[in-house]
Amino acid sequence: MHPVGQMILLWRNEKNLTQSEVARRSGVSRPNLSAIEQGTRDVTVGTLRCIAAALGTNPGALVDGIGPTPVLSKEKLGRRRLDRIARLVAGQKLRASASEQRLALDLASIMKFKTHPLTSTTSTGKINSTRAENATVLRLKSELGVVLFEHLVKRVEKNLISKLIPHE
């Protein structure tokens, strides 16, 4: 999926709009909008402006990968908080802020595919996820940034493994 298409999808989901609603508001055909979201069609500047207006944002936000929710800064998610979130996902009962609990719940919902590989992969080995999980991943990447998101997923995996294989 193309980054601009991902941002359009993210904004559309955040606003609880269907492709048909955005297409009607923007004057872009629904099949064209679908192809743009999937990254199979390039978007012109004019079309991008129309879609951005329909979503209540500016074209720069879509191009720059700025999601509809505030971006969490790395300072706010220091090492201790990342570890606490990862331990929450692994099932430890800890005191946590509302934002840490939300991140832990979101990560737990997408990590089930990594923890149950026999039931969650296709014959080609690709992860078989739903639109809801894809939207969660996209939102988390937008909020955290791709690097921090991947770092947090690795911490969660490490905590899940250490839970399954106790240290002697």
Side-chain angles (χ1 to χ4, degrees), residues 51-62:
I51 293 171
L55 294 171
T57 188
N58 61 59
L62 299 175

Side-chain angles (χ1 to χ4, degrees), residues 89-115:
V89 175
Q92 290 185 17
K93 296 188 182 202
L94 304 167
R95 281 189 180 177
S97 69
S99 63
E100 290 170 343
Q101 290 173 1
R102 183 187 60 81
L103 280 171
L105 286 172
D106 286 344
L107 284 166
S109 74
I110 61 174
M111 293 303 292
K112 68 180 178 182
F113 292 105
K114 292 188 178 244
T115 58

Side-chain angles (χ1 to χ4, degrees), residues 3-165:
V4 172
Q6 288 180 349
M7 285 298 108
I8 292 170
L9 175 63
L10 182 65
W11 277 89
R12 185 172 63 77
N13 286 338
E14 184 69 22
K15 303 278 185 168
N16 291 319
L17 297 171
T18 64
Q19 283 183 342
S20 297
E21 290 171 315
V22 174
R24 183 181 48 76
R25 291 179 183 186
S26 66
V28 175
S29 72
R30 198 212 50 79
N32 191 23
L33 179 61
S34 176
I36 291 167
E37 284 184 358
Q38 293 172 17
T40 58
R41 181 164 298 145
D42 289 332
V43 62
T44 65
V45 173
T47 300
L48 185 63
R49 285 181 178 158
C50 293
I51 293 171
L55 294 171
T57 188
N58 61 59
L62 299 175
V63 172
D64 292 339
I66 299 170
T69 53
V71 176
L72 298 170
S73 69
K74 292 180 184 177
E75 293 77 33
K76 289 184 179 180
L77 285 178
R79 183 176 176 182
R80 288 183 181 164
R81 287 188 74 193
L82 291 174
D83 284 335
R84 187 169 38 247
I85 293 164
R87 291 193 323 263
L88 285 168
V89 175
Q92 290 185 17
K93 296 188 182 202
L94 304 167
R95 281 189 180 177
S97 69
S99 63
E100 290 170 343
Q101 290 173 1
R102 183 187 60 81
L103 280 171
L105 286 172
D106 286 344
L107 284 166
S109 74
I110 61 174
M111 293 303 292
K112 68 180 178 182
F113 292 105
K114 292 188 178 244
T115 58
H116 302 318
L118 295 177
T119 60
S120 63
T121 55
T122 63
S123 59
T124 60
K126 292 184 179 179
I127 292 177
N128 184 19
S129 60
T130 65
R131 286 182 181 171
E133 281 90 23
N134 287 338
T136 301
V137 169
L138 187 58
R139 183 174 45 75
L140 287 173
K141 284 181 178 179
S142 172
E143 288 178 13
L144 302 171
V146 175
V147 173
L148 189 58
F149 170 78
E150 291 173 355
H151 185 68
L152 187 53
V153 167
K154 287 179 184 174
R155 283 181 185 254
V156 169
E157 289 172 339
K158 180 181 170 187
N159 276 281
L160 288 171
I161 290 169
S162 66
K163 182 180 176 184
L164 295 172
I165 306 170

